[in-house]
Amino acid sequence: MMIKNATKALLTGIMVCVFALPAFAHFQMVYTSESALEKGGDIDLKLVFTHPFEAGHTMKMEQPEAFYVVHKEKKTNLLKETKQITWTSLTNSEKAFERSYKLRGMGDFVFCLIPAPYFEAQEDAYIQQMTKVVVNVAGIPTDWDGEMGLPAEIVPLDKPYALWTGNVFRGIVKSEGNPVPFAEIEVEYLNHEPLMDKNSFAKEAHVEAPQDAFVTMTIKADANGCFTFGIPRKGWWGFAALGVGPKNTHEGKELSQDAVIWVQARDMK
């Protein structure tokens, strides 16, 4: 009986510890260093599934289902030359991907990623975050506000690459082209600089959160699927609308199809 009680106590302790862990958000990143460029040329893109505020545990990515760029409504497949890399966070190293791309001409280049579903063992469920990032050349707007045809998508109402610190960013959460009322949206700041040549995060953080609620902030869309967020600091900000895609199961398990977009803000100098 004593052994059974000790085992029960141990299991209870483990469960308390597990559920006491901060629930930092998973974020699929499609990262490049600058989103507003004066001229075209080659840029590097890193595809990493991680926890951007903490630069914490990075999740293993499998071969993406789709990766493409849309420029002046023309879609170009990027999967063929996308290469596997190992990305190192502050706590582990895991499989990720990278791709270089030559920006030709002026206007918006909307990079879209549909990753393979990731199995999160702690939740006994799959996560699939359909992710967008917009890079602009020469300030000519072309495609930034268009719908890219993703099953789960955040359509921006403000240019994601033309935000001053203190501006707001607005978007519409959509599922198969339809607004999602009252969608739950997680927001995180990219708090550790990605080191592109080392495929890792810098150890130094930009800011320190006063409490866990400031690591992953949660906001809600309104009845029309629209949301607004005031940007308090320069840098990259990620927005993830949770479980808004049309599919909710994968291989017999629960699936959360999330819509993600990254925006970049700059200080006025």
Side-chain angles (χ1 to χ4, degrees):
M1 182 63 73
M2 288 183 63
I3 293 176
K4 286 180 69 175
N5 289 339
T7 303
K8 184 178 179 180
L10 176 61
L11 289 174
T12 301
I14 291 172
M15 294 298 287
V16 168
C17 289
V18 167
F19 289 108
L21 289 172
F24 300 143
H26 301 58
F27 265 87
Q28 178 66 57
M29 292 174 52
V30 177
Y31 178 80
T32 190
S33 55
E34 292 294 333
S35 61
L37 302 170
E38 288 295 329
K39 59 182 181 181
D42 291 326
I43 63 169
D44 293 325
L45 298 148
K46 306 288 184 179
L47 317 181
V48 182
F49 192 33
T50 189
H51 298 82
F53 190 94
E54 298 285 313
H57 185 74
T58 291
M59 283 68 70
K60 181 180 181 181
M61 288 185 66
E62 300 298 346
Q63 180 68 24
E65 292 184 0
F67 184 38
Y68 57 88
V69 61
V70 176
H71 175 57
K72 296 182 178 177
E73 300 184 351
K74 180 183 176 182
K75 181 177 175 180
T76 302
N77 185 1
L78 302 180
L79 266 186
K80 187 176 180 181
E81 296 180 26
T82 300
K83 300 175 183 176
Q84 180 182 326
I85 60 172
T86 298
W87 186 268
T88 300
S89 72
L90 300 192
T91 60
N92 74 322
S93 295
E94 198 46 273
K95 182 176 170 183
F97 292 88
E98 68 177 4
R99 175 72 152 81
S100 293
Y101 183 75
K102 183 180 285 294
L103 304 172
R104 303 177 189 275
M106 296 182 288
D108 299 321
F109 295 79
V110 185
F111 293 90
C112 302
L113 172 68
I114 303 179
Y118 168 80
F119 182 68
E120 176 52 74
Q122 285 192 5
E123 300 175 16
D124 194 32
Y126 285 91
I127 302 168
Q128 185 178 37
Q129 296 199 328
M130 300 169 190
T131 303
K132 291 166 54 174
V133 68
V134 186
V135 177
N136 175 268
V137 176
I140 307 297
T142 55
D143 305 85
W144 67 273
D145 55 350
E147 294 187 31
M148 298 297 120
L150 294 167
E153 182 170 357
I154 293 175
V155 179
L157 294 173
D158 302 288
K159 293 174 185 172
Y161 50 82
L163 297 166
W164 293 113
T165 306
N167 281 165
V168 298
F169 175 69
R170 300 168 302 150
I172 307 175
V173 180
K174 293 199 170 185
S175 177
E176 295 187 309
N178 299 309
V180 181
F182 309 113
E184 180 177 314
I185 302 152
E186 292 184 333
V187 185
E188 274 206 22
Y189 178 58
L190 181 56
N191 195 28
H192 292 254
E193 200 69 27
L195 305 176
M196 299 293 272
D197 56 337
K198 297 180 178 178
N199 289 333
S200 64
F201 286 118
K203 292 182 180 178
E204 298 78 18
H206 294 305
V207 298
E208 183 176 345
Q211 192 238 27
D212 288 346
F214 294 83
V215 174
T216 303
M217 291 168 282
T218 302
I219 60 175
K220 301 277 284 191
D222 65 15
N224 298 311
C226 298
F227 68 89
T228 301
F229 181 82
I231 299 176
R233 185 181 173 88
K234 72 173 184 179
W236 284 95
W237 290 84
F239 298 81
L242 306 181
V244 298
K247 290 183 63 178
N248 54 25
T249 59
H250 179 72
E251 296 186 349
K253 302 280 189 182
E254 182 182 346
L255 169 67
S256 178
Q257 284 189 317
D258 308 338
V260 174
I261 192 168
W262 285 89
V263 309
Q264 188 177 28
R266 293 170 176 79
D267 284 342
M268 299 185 84
K269 296 181 180 178

